Amino acid sequence: MIVSRRRNVHSERNESRNDNLPGLLQPTLPLPIANRNEISQRDVITSESIDIDPEKPVSPSSRGYAIGPPSPDQQHPQQSRIRRKRKRTFLVDLMLHPLTVPLVVLTLVAFLYTTVSTYIYYYLPASVLRIPVANVDVPVPSAMEWPFIHIVNTRFMQEQGALTTLGMARFHLFMTFCFPTMISQSSQHFFWIIKTDPEFTKTPIFDLMLQAIQSVPNHNIYLVASNNNFLINPLIKGSWKDGAECLDLLQSKIYTGNITKLHMAMALRNERPVLETRLDADDGLHMHYLKYIQLVALKRFQPAIYRAIQHRPNGEDLTEPTTKPANLPPVPQWLYWCTRRHVEWHSSIEDSEEWQNVDNLTIGVLVPIQHDKLCVTPGMTVGYNIDVDAANVPFHSHDTLFRAVSKSSDCFSPGRLTIPVNKTAGTKMPACLVLVEDLLFCAVRSRTLTSAGMLNVGIIPAFRMEPNTTNRLWQLLDERFSITKAKVQRTQEFLVRHRKEVAYENVLGQCTTGHSCKDQAKAELQKIIDEESAA
């Protein structure tokens, strides 16, 4: 039987049609009506009569879309509406919560950072370097602009930060002999790393040093609070080339210098030849010394680029050479540089009566020194070619360097011999040690009571020098080292006035990390203290 909200001709017609159906074809389940022109959309065929209220919403089961007992929502429609309303209210409250927007923003930022990082590290070419400075994207200079990375390392009052009188004496020596020679170098393409004790940064002397460095326009001087050193003690491994020095700087406080360029030098340490020069804080270098080292390094490590730079027209920007010229000399993996000639300035002359006159007491004594088979500390340099492992480069101190490397060819590998050595023509293999002999005196060394080892502080007794030679040496220091007699005189006055205090604090500084621990040095310093106390 068909039950509908309206009875008309169509329903009567359907009734007679259903009565004629076989029993097996009588519908036993709710089914939708396909012919909507004859029967209303809400009319269903059932096996029994169902009364439908036209004002009451029809449930899904009565439409023929569900099978089985009614759902809880069908049984309790009012509670269902309340639950749906609560869900909508919760979503609205969540959207209006003050933490929702920041969390969404952070999620988007994290997603963008991950996407960009993945693109940079996996899809950009390997030759594209990125500078590790936050919010800075600096184009990497070409090999013609930066053909090498040159680092100059200087120690100042490391592990002795609390010794203020000794610190002031060494500051006078630094400002007289070391600082003026570095800011006057004819090539400023280097990074001067000056490391000092973090405790020393709390003293007024450090403030004076900071002001002096900041007063010059050079932005390649980096004053760093660190007690770590490399290429000095053979037991401490590491260098700029292998990244140990770079890591130490990143973990230390840097007070001066262009940090962006410093990070560029870190990023390019495996892309350019690296030079590392040692210079004590009381020594100085000839104004052309670093430039000489750089030109020789470029010629030996990168001969093609060296020739391109040498033949570059004035004002013309030249790109890197793509072809190598013929007949290149053998290219080394590493090299050492050193000098055997220097000038010494002696402050203490009490042990030499022939030197005790008014001029020498107020300004000290200059002594020219020439070694035969010994390299001096100031200016000693080690160079690494591009694809060399720093661990394979031998370490040598200044007193063993000449004997170990002067006749060695260990810096060459078979793959680097770009031309065969013609023994019949007398071709000689270039040395792994480059002796800087083209400059008359390459360095100046101050020998005073501030020296931890107290080595050669006194004047050689048998040495004699004509007054005219002394004047020429002072002229040489002024013209080639930017060292003036006025500054030397002020430094001498401080050392003489505080002789006892400097000697006493030097004794206290003995045997600290990285400094001398010799009984002979302690005995000499104690002798000076006793003499000054008895006077």
Side-chain angles (χ1 to χ4, degrees):
M1 181 178 181
I2 298 176
V3 179
S4 177
R5 290 193 299 273
R6 352 180 251 283
R7 287 187 175 275
N8 48 31
V9 179
H10 296 289
S11 61
E12 294 291 338
R13 198 176 295 166
N14 290 334
E15 180 179 356
S16 61
R17 186 177 302 171
N18 272 320
D19 290 339
N20 297 328
L21 291 175
L24 293 176
L25 297 179
Q26 294 291 336
T28 59
L29 297 176
L31 295 173
I33 299 301
N35 191 348
R36 295 183 180 181
N37 294 324
E38 298 181 355
I39 303 176
S40 172
Q41 294 182 10
R42 293 190 178 183
D43 291 342
V44 293
I45 299 176
T46 61
S47 60
E48 57 184 12
S49 301
I50 301 177
D51 294 330
I52 301 177
D53 186 357
E55 302 298 330
K56 182 178 180 180
V58 181
S59 64
S61 61
S62 64
R63 296 181 182 178
Y65 298 116
I67 302 176
S71 65
D73 289 345
Q74 296 172 352
Q75 295 178 355
H76 307 285
Q78 185 66 23
Q79 296 181 4
S80 176
R81 286 194 295 270
I82 294 174
R83 284 195 294 270
R84 288 195 297 270
K85 184 177 181 181
R86 287 178 178 175
K87 291 180 180 178
R88 289 193 298 268
T89 305
F90 173 75
L91 292 175
V92 172
D93 293 341
L94 182 62
M95 293 297 295
L96 297 179
H97 195 278
L99 294 179
T100 301
V101 174
L103 288 175
V104 172
V105 172
L106 288 177
T107 303
L108 291 175
V109 170
F111 173 76
L112 291 175
Y113 175 80
T114 303
T115 304
V116 173
S117 300
T118 303
Y119 176 77
I120 290 176
Y121 286 102
Y122 291 98
Y123 295 99
L124 283 183
S127 59
V128 178
L129 299 177
R130 286 294 176 262
I131 308 305
V133 182
N135 303 321
V136 175
D137 187 11
V138 181
V140 176
S142 66
M144 296 297 295
E145 297 173 303
W146 275 29
F148 51 80
I149 306 298
H150 194 171
I151 308 298
V152 181
N153 292 303
T154 297
R155 302 180 297 167
F156 189 87
M157 292 298 294
Q158 288 183 315
E159 302 289 352
Q160 298 176 340
L163 306 177
T164 55
T165 305
L166 180 63
M168 180 58 77
R170 288 177 175 170
F171 174 71
H172 277 281
L173 294 170
F174 173 80
M175 294 301 299
T176 301
F177 294 99
C178 187
F179 187 70
T181 67
M182 291 299 291
I183 63 176
S184 301
Q185 288 293 313
S186 56
S187 171
Q188 289 294 318
H189 297 294
F190 61 87
F191 298 84
W192 189 14
I193 312 298
I194 306 173
K195 290 186 175 182
T196 187
D197 193 331
E199 291 297 320
F200 182 74
T201 61
K202 305 174 184 178
T203 65
I205 309 171
F206 176 80
D207 296 335
L208 296 175
M209 192 173 189
L210 184 61
Q211 293 174 9
I213 294 175
Q214 293 175 340
S215 64
V216 297
N218 306 51
H219 298 291
N220 58 346
I221 307 175
Y222 299 86
L223 187 57
V224 184
S226 172
N227 282 322
N228 298 321
N229 294 296
F230 303 93
L231 297 179
I232 295 179
N233 189 337
L235 300 179
I236 301 177
K237 304 297 182 181
S239 64
W240 189 276
K241 179 66 175 179
D242 63 13
E245 179 79 14
C246 305
L247 181 61
D248 180 63
L249 292 180
L250 292 174
Q251 296 174 345
S252 305
K253 185 172 182 179
I254 304 175
Y255 291 86
T256 61
N258 188 319
I259 304 299
T260 300
K261 287 189 175 182
L262 185 67
H263 283 83
M264 291 173 68
M266 296 178 183
L268 293 173
R269 61 186 176 84
N270 291 322
E271 308 294 329
R272 304 286 190 272
V274 176
L275 309 175
E276 297 193 53
T277 299
R278 177 179 173 181
L279 178 64
D280 290 344
D282 55 355
D283 299 338
L285 296 175
H286 190 285
M287 63 183 297
H288 298 310
Y289 185 83
L290 294 184
K291 185 176 183 179
Y292 181 92
I293 297 289
Q294 294 168 0
L295 290 176
V296 174
L298 192 59
K299 185 176 181 180
R300 298 287 299 274
F301 287 144
Q302 301 289 320
I305 295 179
Y306 171 78
R307 293 190 180 187
I309 293 178
Q310 292 296 103
H311 296 87
R312 175 167 51 186
N314 293 332
E316 181 179 339
D317 226 359
L318 194 62
T319 58
E320 298 181 34
T322 57
T323 59
K324 296 182 178 181
N327 299 326
L328 290 178
V331 179
Q333 291 182 308
W334 52 267
L335 287 173
Y336 271 95
W337 286 261
C338 80
T339 179
R340 298 179 295 175
R341 290 198 302 264
H342 67 282
V343 177
E344 289 185 352
W345 177 76
H346 292 260
S347 171
S348 302
I349 57 176
E350 286 75 9
D351 295 336
S352 302
E353 296 182 359
E354 62 273 16
W355 292 97
Q356 295 186 19
N357 55 57
V358 176
D359 292 337
N360 293 337
L361 290 173
T362 59
I363 201 172
V365 175
L366 294 179
V367 180
I369 301 295
Q370 166 73 57
H371 294 288
D372 183 20
K373 298 180 180 181
L374 179 67
C375 293
V376 296
T377 302
M380 191 174 74
T381 302
V382 57
Y384 308 87
N385 212 336
I386 293 177
D387 55 353
V388 66
D389 186 358
N392 297 328
V393 178
F395 171 85
H396 296 289
S397 58
H398 77 97
D399 54 342
T400 63
L401 178 61
F402 185 89
R403 297 193 303 270
V405 185
S406 60
K407 297 181 180 180
S408 172
S409 59
D410 294 341
C411 60
F412 297 95
S413 63
R416 287 191 173 274
L417 295 179
T418 55
I419 60 172
V421 178
N422 189 350
K423 297 182 179 180
T424 59
T427 304
K428 183 180 180 181
M429 176 72 71
C432 296
L433 175 63
V434 180
L435 297 175
V436 183
E437 306 286 353
D438 293 341
L439 304 175
L440 180 59
F441 291 102
C442 298
V444 57
R445 306 183 70 187
S446 61
R447 316 305 298 166
T448 68
L449 298 178
T450 62
S451 173
M454 293 292 291
L455 181 65
N456 298 329
V457 172
I459 301 176
I460 302 175
F463 181 76
R464 298 288 187 275
M465 190 167 61
E466 298 295 330
N468 186 39
T469 305
T470 300
N471 295 333
R472 292 180 61 184
L473 287 177
W474 282 114
Q475 183 180 359
L476 175 69
L477 292 186
D478 188 11
E479 295 176 354
R480 294 292 182 263
F481 292 83
S482 299
I483 298 174
T484 64
K485 294 180 69 173
K487 288 185 177 180
V488 174
Q489 186 172 355
R490 287 195 295 269
T491 300
Q492 175 71 349
E493 291 175 356
F494 182 89
L495 293 174
V496 172
R497 188 185 316 118
H498 300 279
R499 178 179 171 86
K500 178 181 177 180
E501 293 86 351
V502 171
Y504 175 74
E505 291 194 357
N506 198 355
V507 172
L508 297 179
Q510 292 287 311
C511 300
T512 54
T513 304
H515 294 277
S516 174
C517 190
K518 300 177 181 177
D519 293 336
Q520 182 180 358
K522 297 178 185 178
E524 292 181 10
L525 291 170
Q526 188 61 48
K527 178 182 177 181
I528 294 173
I529 296 173
D530 296 339
E531 291 175 353
E532 292 294 324
S533 300

